Amino acid sequence: MARILVVDDDDNIRMMLSKLLERDAHDVVTAENGLVAVRQQKATPSDVIILDIIMPEKEGLETIMELRRDDPGVKIIAISGGGQLGPSRYLMLAKAMGAIFAFEKPVPMEALREAIRMLTLAAAH
């Protein structure tokens, strides 16, 4: 299946997404913020990145810009549960900056699975 990088500052969300995606036979790696994610993506690129928007160190929008600068074809799924503007505003910005899919938390797992399937099928062709 796909190599997926899950980036979220919430340990529980990272662990939950990792376990669910591993059950789908994906190779899952995690990062607790954008700084770690960018470093990991440069060292060992993932097929898909699931990226939280509101995080300490390096937040998601800044991370999207850096990932896109380094690899314009990187496949990013943005997730957000809030912030001052509310999740829908941040997710709109994330899509404008290059996220292909965007989901509010709690993440709808079937929709996330379908998004990953679409992104990995597109990469295979």
Side-chain angles (χ1 to χ4, degrees):
M1 294 303 273
R3 178 179 168 88
I4 301 174
L5 173 58
V6 175
V7 188
D8 199 303
D9 60 321
D10 184 316
D11 295 340
N12 293 324
I13 292 174
R14 267 196 330 270
M15 192 174 9
M16 183 227 17
L17 288 174
S18 293
K19 286 182 179 184
L20 288 168
L21 295 170
E22 285 169 351
R23 270 193 237 144
D24 290 343
H26 294 294
D27 176 21
V28 181
V29 292
T30 63
E32 62 274 7
N33 62 52
L35 282 174
V36 176
V38 169
R39 202 174 317 127
Q40 284 184 337
Q41 185 66 6
K42 284 179 182 176
T44 310
S46 292
D47 302 308
V48 176
I49 301 170
I50 299 171
L51 178 66
D52 187 25
I53 300 301
I54 310 298
M55 297 181 291
E57 300 293 327
K58 182 181 286 230
E59 51 80 34
L61 297 176
E62 185 181 356
T63 304
I64 290 171
M65 288 191 304
E66 190 167 342
L67 290 167
R68 280 255 174 245
R69 184 192 67 219
D70 294 345
D71 178 5
V74 68
K75 293 170 179 59
I76 300 170
I77 298 172
I79 60 175
S80 182
Q84 290 178 325
L85 298 176
S88 60
R89 278 276 181 77
Y90 285 113
L91 293 172
M92 276 184 6
L93 288 169
K95 285 189 87 170
M97 296 172 126
I100 300 167
F101 293 98
F103 299 106
E104 285 189 30
K105 293 178 185 177
V107 177
M109 285 311 297
E110 283 311 310
L112 180 64
R113 283 182 169 119
E114 179 62 16
I116 292 168
R117 189 183 71 72
M118 289 171 60
L119 292 175
T120 55
L121 280 177
H125 296 305

